[in-house]
Amino acid sequence: MRPVPTWPPMPPGGTPVAQPRRREASQIALWWLMGVIGMLFGLMLVAYVMRMSLGDWRALPPVDALWFNTGLLAAACIVMQSSASQARRGELRRSRREWRLAGAFALAFVAGQLWVWRDLHVQHYGVSGNPANSFFFLLTGLHALHLLGGLVAWALLAPHRMTHATRARRLSLTAQYWHFLFALWIVLFAAIVNLTPEIAQRLCGTGVGP
């Protein structure tokens, strides 16, 4: 009777060859989540540009605090990545310290956004003032909401009872999500700061020709 072939094949020594490691389900789920969020904001940015090209658009005044908030979010992502790297190397105490600092920076970013919204409201640039106001609050508010979701994932790393490997893996996934939100914020920030009705009209083909 012929022996049943095995996979992976058995080498002469009798030890099976290791199978290729599959992507973890959590990593694939994170990619799907970031893809969906990216498409959502992409569609909103298209609507933002199209709405800006119309004549009733009244731009908001420069919001200098957004630059400071951007720095806070960048710092949060850098420190979070460092925490994940330290966890992979087994530096648990330093990883936890940087994990706390990353959360503090992210919370400060959200607080800074709240301050910006309050300041605009005090200056009578409320949500319903004009389309520019509405889109600003919509885009920045939805981004802050997704960042709060990232803070929930951050907070779930607090328990000490999880294994070192589990904590390192979750730290890495959380850091990836935060990096994605930072990249998304840079795109939103660039659109808010640099886009003008004239540029939007050219992009939409509605500008007045020479």
Side-chain angles (χ1 to χ4, degrees):
M1 184 176 179
R2 297 180 60 184
V4 178
T6 60
W7 183 260
M10 296 285 287
T15 303
V17 178
Q19 298 185 33
R21 190 174 182 179
R22 296 182 178 180
R23 293 286 184 181
E24 294 184 3
S26 55
Q27 179 68 74
I28 296 174
L30 178 60
W31 286 341
W32 274 100
L33 175 63
M34 293 189 296
V36 171
I37 294 173
M39 287 189 290
L40 171 65
F41 276 93
L43 291 172
M44 292 180 65
L45 282 173
V46 170
Y48 176 74
V49 173
M50 293 177 66
R51 190 63 184 83
M52 184 186 288
S53 66
L54 301 182
D56 60 345
W57 189 272
R58 299 292 178 268
L60 289 166
V63 186
D64 295 334
L66 291 179
W67 290 95
F68 179 72
N69 293 350
T70 301
L72 289 173
L73 188 55
C77 291
I78 292 171
V79 178
M80 191 65 176
Q81 181 60 46
S82 178
S83 176
S85 299
Q86 296 299 331
R88 285 194 298 270
R89 289 196 291 265
E91 298 286 344
L92 301 183
R93 182 173 298 179
R94 183 176 176 183
S95 175
R96 281 195 170 275
R97 183 169 63 248
E98 294 181 344
W99 165 79
R100 295 188 188 97
L101 183 59
F105 278 129
L107 287 170
F109 171 81
V110 175
Q113 296 294 78
L114 288 172
W115 187 89
V116 167
W117 300 333
R118 178 185 177 279
D119 187 58
L120 288 173
H121 182 74
V122 169
Q123 297 181 53
H124 305 290
Y125 292 99
V127 177
S128 59
N130 69 70
N133 300 10
S134 301
F135 267 99
F136 177 85
F137 282 96
L138 175 63
L139 292 172
T140 58
L142 194 58
H143 177 269
L145 184 63
H146 284 86
L147 184 58
L148 287 175
L151 281 168
V152 171
W154 168 86
L156 292 175
L157 292 166
H160 290 263
R161 61 179 176 272
M162 70 177 67
T163 65
H164 166 62
T166 299
R167 179 177 175 80
R169 183 176 67 254
R170 292 183 181 179
L171 267 171
S172 178
L173 292 172
T174 304
Q176 290 177 51
Y177 181 66
W178 284 27
H179 297 335
F180 166 74
L181 290 179
F182 176 67
L184 185 60
W185 170 250
I186 292 299
V187 174
L188 296 178
F189 183 52
I192 291 169
V193 172
N194 296 321
L195 272 181
T196 63
E198 292 75 19
I199 295 174
Q201 288 171 2
R202 291 179 182 178
L203 290 173
C204 296
T206 58
V208 178

